[in-house]
Amino acid sequence: MSDNKVSRRKFIGNATVAAGAAATGTLAAPAVHAQTPVTIKMQTSWPSSDIWMDFARQYIERVERMSGGRIRIDLLPAGAVVGAFQVLDAVHDGILDAAHTVPVYWYGKHKAASLFGTGPVFGGSATTMLAWFHQGGGKEFYRELTQDILGLNVVGFYGFPMPAQPFGWFKEPVTTAEDVQGFKYRTVGLAADLMQEMGLSVAQLPGGEIVPAMERGVIDAFEFNNPSSDMRFGAQDVAKNYFLSSYHQASESFEFLFNRDVFDSLDDDLQAILEYGVEAVSTANTALALDQYSADLQTLQEEHDVTVHRTSQEILDAQLQAWDELIPMLEEDEFMKRVLDSQREWVERVVFYELTNAPDLTLAYEHYFPGKLSL
């Protein structure tokens, strides 16, 4: 570790200035303890203009305020130090101190990474699966994968249960599974395996490369995540049919990664602030997402002539059938089998409660806003 990193990662504390007692017997002045703030270099996997940078800033604001300024986070966009898909390696190697990313971006190391973001989830939502991570054993599986199986020098936390991701952007409407056969389609993680099972050809690209790839004909259709991100990188300029609802990425959360040496060098209270700040920002991220995603979807419709569709039941059913084909292959890996068994057990119990308890939201919405849902 370089001298610069040592000075950045360690507190320069205990600089005590004590005034000596005067000859007249005056009491010594109180000691003054000065601490140099710890600066953490965090890179995201998002372009500087993406709404997810705003989400990352919400985290930084909370951490810096809760720490009383003892932690400063230097936030950088994708590409500032490494590419969007390389942040895990950079944090592991100590090139970055931290990253704001999603686990599917490193599923090339082990496909199980996608089970902490974009797996089959068996009817669960992102909220269901984030609860599994915290309460159903997911955190322990994540530690086993990152520490025992892959030997990564990282500590990771999860926050912000994302709304289910749209099926995506298409130049022409698609209504059947046959309509998408042979499409060159952008997605990531196990969703790539799923779409290939459905007969699509998949390119895994970071968000900033999607529109140029569409313009060059490298891909025919794509999904990223949400109306705000999609609109900010110009999805509406290359396609006009936007299909919401899908099972390919029904659940995902942000991954907050820290170099283990950096994290372990901090005082216990600062470690707690970094960890539980993730839980705090989940609420802030959710509120901002619901506000901006809904407003930007309206803007796409009213100002950019985008036609919003709900993905057809036939395509959704084809996705579930593709998961049925894919899951047994994934379960050939012993670790993935244990994770999927754990998720199934959790979802069977928890989602039974969620679905049985939830009133029919569509019925209530149509009662108060009749005709709005005629997609």
Side-chain angles (χ1 to χ4, degrees):
M1 186 183 299
S2 69
D3 290 341
N4 287 339
K5 286 188 178 179
V6 170
S7 63
R8 184 174 73 245
R9 297 176 181 179
K10 304 288 185 180
F11 290 118
I12 303 174
N14 301 322
T16 304
V17 179
T24 56
T26 305
L27 291 176
V32 178
H33 297 277
Q35 287 188 326
T36 300
V38 176
T39 298
I40 293 176
K41 182 185 292 185
M42 171 183 275
Q43 186 190 298
T44 75
S45 293
W46 330 123
S48 58
S49 61
D50 194 275
I51 190 172
W52 285 1
M53 287 294 287
D54 298 334
F55 292 161
R57 291 184 191 100
Q58 288 184 315
Y59 175 68
I60 289 167
E61 291 164 1
R62 281 152 183 77
V63 165
E64 292 185 349
R65 185 167 182 183
M66 287 189 290
S67 70
R70 292 162 63 203
I71 295 178
R72 305 285 188 189
I73 299 181
D74 181 14
L75 185 67
L76 303 167
V81 178
V82 296
F85 288 178
Q86 281 76 54
V87 292
L88 173 71
D89 286 334
V91 173
H92 167 74
D93 292 335
I95 297 169
L96 293 170
D97 302 321
H100 185 269
T101 187
V102 285
V104 292
Y105 280 8
W106 54 272
Y107 107 125
K109 291 185 178 298
H110 197 298
K111 287 192 176 185
S114 198
L115 298 182
F116 299 93
T118 58
V121 303
F122 308 107
S125 67
T127 299
T128 308
M129 302 318 295
L130 185 57
W132 167 80
F133 182 84
H134 286 287
Q135 198 67 27
K139 189 179 298 185
E140 291 73 23
F141 282 120
Y142 178 80
R143 188 213 60 78
E144 182 179 351
L145 176 62
T146 55
Q147 308 301 313
D148 299 343
I149 296 175
L150 296 176
L152 296 171
N153 190 37
V154 300
V155 177
F157 308 108
Y158 279 74
F160 175 47
M162 301 178 188
Q165 296 177 33
F167 187 40
W169 294 83
F170 295 80
K171 293 181 179 179
E172 301 294 336
V174 292
T175 57
T176 69
E178 187 176 343
D179 288 343
V180 298
Q181 291 286 312
F183 271 39
K184 294 176 289 185
Y185 180 86
R186 181 272 176 195
T187 190
V188 292
L190 285 174
D193 300 57
L194 182 77
M195 293 304 173
Q196 288 170 350
E197 186 67 31
M198 290 179 63
L200 287 77
S201 173
V202 176
Q204 300 201 46
L205 303 169
E209 297 179 18
I210 294 174
V211 167
M214 191 79 164
E215 290 173 332
R216 298 194 311 271
V218 175
I219 56 176
D220 305 312
F222 61 91
E223 62 80 35
F224 179 69
N225 186 276
N226 64 83
S228 297
S229 294
D230 293 354
M231 187 173 74
R232 290 192 189 192
F233 65 60
Q236 68 277 6
D237 297 329
V238 292
K240 294 296 185 183
N241 291 278
Y242 194 23
F243 284 80
L244 302 187
S245 81
S246 183
Y247 292 124
H248 77 288
Q249 287 180 294
S251 166
E252 191 167 25
S253 293
F254 286 136
E255 182 179 35
F256 296 73
L257 282 170
F258 295 89
N259 177 276
R260 178 171 287 279
D261 295 333
V262 172
F263 188 81
D264 288 347
S265 74
L266 301 174
D267 289 345
D268 288 347
D269 65 324
L270 295 183
Q271 291 182 8
I273 288 169
L274 290 178
E275 178 177 0
Y276 298 117
V278 173
E279 295 183 12
V281 83
S282 284
T283 300
N285 285 174
T286 298
L288 181 58
L290 291 178
D291 179 26
Q292 289 297 301
Y293 291 4
S294 60
D296 289 336
L297 181 65
Q298 191 173 65
T299 298
L300 286 167
Q301 291 176 284
E302 296 177 357
E303 298 181 20
H304 297 283
D305 298 321
V306 170
T307 301
V308 175
H309 309 263
R310 186 166 174 81
T311 303
S312 72
Q313 194 72 30
E314 179 178 333
I315 291 176
L316 292 174
D317 186 60
Q319 290 179 348
L320 293 177
Q321 292 181 42
W323 276 123
D324 288 344
E325 295 296 322
L326 187 58
I327 289 169
M329 291 186 281
L330 299 176
E331 290 181 331
E332 293 174 5
D333 178 271
E334 181 270 341
F335 175 75
M336 294 187 76
K337 176 70 164 61
R338 286 191 285 119
V339 175
L340 287 164
D341 282 344
S342 174
Q343 291 181 337
R344 261 188 297 254
E345 182 180 356
W346 175 264
V347 169
E348 183 178 13
R349 172 167 58 87
V350 172
V351 175
F352 175 83
Y353 162 73
E354 290 182 309
L355 294 178
T356 305
N357 182 64
D360 187 337
L361 300 182
T362 300
L363 177 66
Y365 187 88
E366 290 185 329
H367 176 80
Y368 291 108
F369 310 103
K372 289 284 291 185
L373 289 178
S374 56
L375 295 177

